[in-house]
Amino acid sequence: MSFCAMLDSPHTYSSALGSPGFLAGTFLLDPLSGKADWSDGLFNLHGYDRGEVVPTLELLMSHKHPDDRPRAMEILTQVLRDGGHFCIYHRIIDARGNVRRVLTAGNARSGPTGTAAVEGTTIDLTSTLRRETEQAAREAVAGANATRGVINQARGILMGRLLVNSEAAFKLLVTCSSMTNVKVAVLASHLVRVADADEGPEAMDEFIRVLHACDQAAVKRALDQQ
């Protein structure tokens, strides 16, 4: 089998990044000689230009993060012995010292005397994971701010209706939450909706009485009516 064929890099798309997607490459490994063929994308992923290095199993493993290398080698050894598919999420360190989080998936092709070749694809998820993590953090902050705003509105309603201070109003929400196992934000949100509804102050006062009673069944009935 020849390992001199030029491999194509896969087409990629990341919903987090949009076009043009993420860096990825393919490989074909000869388990007997340890020699490999890499696509241009795999050279780039490891920080090289084509022709700068000769791809081998030894070079491939040298770029694995030291903490991930033993497990990656263990899986590769098992695949070389038994054949089959594999999928590894791990880190590599490219030639420029950048740590990349990658997913490598492939399979061992069997021959008359055992594993004839290992082929697969490695995709760089670093930018996608970073973008999704940043987006999740922004959404969490926005959610926390929105929740805080609703709780402050509910606190203000209780202060006005019960003529209590801010601390006492918040304590009422927290106490009811603890005794009924309903989140403070849910109680606060319902109180604000009742206050904004057309039923009038009677409905709002009724829910405040429910909060005072800390009756789980009554709270559930009130929330189910929203």
Side-chain angles (χ1 to χ4, degrees):
M1 177 180 297
S2 171
F3 284 80
C4 298
M6 191 76 72
L7 297 179
D8 292 328
S9 291
H11 300 291
T12 64
Y13 167 75
S14 166
S15 60
L17 301 177
S19 182
F22 45 79
L23 190 59
T26 56
F27 62 88
L28 183 63
L29 170 68
D30 179 356
L32 295 179
S33 67
K35 295 181 180 179
D37 187 29
W38 290 0
S39 70
D40 287 343
L42 203 64
F43 277 102
N44 294 336
L45 197 153
H46 285 85
Y48 299 112
D49 293 325
R50 179 175 288 280
E52 189 175 349
V53 293
V54 177
T56 62
L57 174 59
E58 182 180 6
L59 178 65
L60 186 70
M61 297 308 298
S62 72
H63 281 284
K64 306 299 183 191
H65 191 283
D67 292 340
D68 298 337
R69 189 179 301 139
R71 181 56 178 157
M73 193 66 208
E74 180 182 344
I75 292 175
L76 181 58
T77 300
Q78 183 177 346
V79 169
L80 292 176
R81 183 185 65 242
D82 303 329
H85 294 79
F86 65 94
C87 185
I88 312 172
Y89 173 66
H90 61 293
R91 293 161 293 178
I92 67 170
I93 303 175
D94 69 17
R96 299 177 180 85
N98 300 312
V99 177
R100 298 181 182 272
R101 299 180 180 275
V102 303
L103 181 69
T104 298
N107 69 287
R109 298 199 321 228
S110 299
T113 59
T115 301
V118 178
E119 59 184 353
T121 301
T122 298
I123 58 179
D124 182 9
L125 300 178
T126 309
S127 297
T128 293
L129 292 171
R130 181 184 301 119
R131 185 70 62 85
E132 290 184 342
T133 299
E134 291 172 350
Q135 179 63 28
R138 286 193 294 268
E139 291 174 354
V141 170
N145 289 337
T147 298
R148 188 179 301 113
V150 169
I151 292 175
N152 285 338
Q153 282 184 274
R155 186 185 299 189
I157 293 170
L158 292 172
M159 292 170 62
R161 299 301 291 182
L162 300 177
L163 301 179
V164 297
N165 60 28
S166 177
E167 183 178 350
F170 185 62
K171 184 178 180 180
L172 173 58
L173 291 170
V174 171
T175 300
C176 185
S177 171
S178 176
M179 296 186 67
T180 61
N181 198 30
V182 178
K183 292 182 178 179
V184 170
V186 174
L187 297 174
S189 179
H190 184 73
L191 178 58
V192 170
R193 278 196 296 269
V194 171
D196 290 339
D198 297 329
E199 287 85 351
E202 293 79 9
M204 179 174 55
D205 289 340
E206 175 59 30
F207 186 64
I208 291 176
R209 284 192 290 271
V210 169
L211 292 177
H212 268 296
C214 294
D215 184 295
Q216 189 172 33
V219 169
K220 185 178 186 304
R221 285 195 300 269
L223 295 178
D224 288 342
Q225 292 171 4
Q226 64 185 18

